Amino acid sequence: MYRKRFEYIFGVSAIFFFIVIWWGVGTHVIEQEYVVPRNTNSDYYLIWRGGHEILLGNTTYTDQITKEIQVNIFGKVAEGMGDKFSFVYPAYEAFVFLPFTALDYLPSFTYWLTFQFVLFTVTLVLMLKTFPWKLSPLALGGLFFAAFSFRYFWLAMSLGQTSIFILAFLALSGYLASREHELLAVIPLALTAVKPQ
């Protein structure tokens, strides 16, 4: 009993320590490597721009906001039938992504990217807790290494997409359902609907 309690406390402490260190060091690295060079040229800009406008009490589904998003992402107004990069998210997106939508853009983008690592770590832990897997420390380390080596994670993170956020809430919903908390499982599942696709 004491060993299980010790392992639990050690595991939670290790994850907390990782998050604190990452938040301190990772924020600076991400700002220099991704945020400053990319600026508003990211998928995250249209999420932030629309959400920020909604928090100000304005509609974001206007031609003016669409053009502003396009100019900030492409450097010009988009032409043709391709992706127009207009704000297509539901209006409650502004509140789902709080406090990111309430901050100024550059710090918001920096913290959003930094947060992706935390979310992905939490996602992996929730998935491990959902399924009755008994992994050795070596297998567990290999799983985390493989997950963070996956190209799609880095692509979604660097572009500031919502994929990892959605994955984390799907994992939370699955975890709650596996613990027979079906009513609670509905809440994170509903939040995943913030992505229109």
Side-chain angles (χ1 to χ4, degrees), residues 10-23:
F10 179 79
V12 170
S13 300
I15 291 170
F16 179 75
F17 184 71
F18 164 76
I19 290 171
V20 169
I21 294 296
W22 170 249
W23 204 262

Side-chain angles (χ1 to χ4, degrees), residues 51-69:
H52 199 67
E53 197 70 17
I54 290 165
L55 289 180
L56 294 174
N58 304 321
T59 181
T60 190
Y61 306 101
T62 64
D63 289 339
Q64 178 188 348
I65 296 296
T66 297
K67 287 176 182 176
E68 184 182 325
I69 289 170

Side-chain angles (χ1 to χ4, degrees), residues 94-148:
F95 304 100
V96 173
F97 294 128
L98 273 173
F100 300 102
T101 45
L103 295 170
D104 290 334
Y105 175 70
L106 288 178
S108 177
F109 190 27
T110 301
Y111 293 135
W112 175 256
L113 294 185
T114 306
F115 192 55
Q116 302 309 297
F117 288 87
V118 176
L119 271 181
F120 199 49
T121 301
V122 170
T123 299
L124 293 171
V125 170
L126 286 171
M127 290 174 72
L128 288 169
K129 292 289 185 183
T130 299
F131 302 106
W133 297 339
K134 300 294 182 188
L135 298 178
S136 68
L138 184 62
L140 189 62
L143 177 67
F144 272 77
F145 178 78
F148 278 101

Side-chain angles (χ1 to χ4, degrees), residues 34 38 41-42 109 113 153-161:
Y34 290 102
R38 192 177 288 275
N41 185 14
S42 76
F109 190 27
L113 294 185
F153 166 76
W154 292 97
L155 186 62
M157 189 280 294
S158 65
L159 292 174
Q161 296 177 344

Side-chain angles (χ1 to χ4, degrees), residues 8-9 11 17 20 22 27 30 39 47 49 55 71 76 79 92-93 99 102 107 122 124 131 139 141 159 162 171 179:
Y8 177 78
I9 292 170
F17 184 71
V20 169
W22 170 249
T27 303
I30 283 176
N39 202 345
I47 297 166
R49 184 66 186 88
L55 289 180
V71 168
K76 62 178 183 177
E79 299 173 0
Y92 68 85
E93 175 261 17
V122 170
L124 293 171
F131 302 106
L159 292 174
T162 57
R179 296 298 189 267

Side-chain angles (χ1 to χ4, degrees), residues 152-179:
Y152 184 76
F153 166 76
W154 292 97
L155 186 62
M157 189 280 294
S158 65
L159 292 174
Q161 296 177 344
T162 57
S163 308
I164 297 163
F165 177 89
I166 301 300
L167 182 62
F169 276 89
L170 285 172
L172 177 58
S173 182
Y175 171 77
L176 290 170
S178 74
R179 296 298 189 267

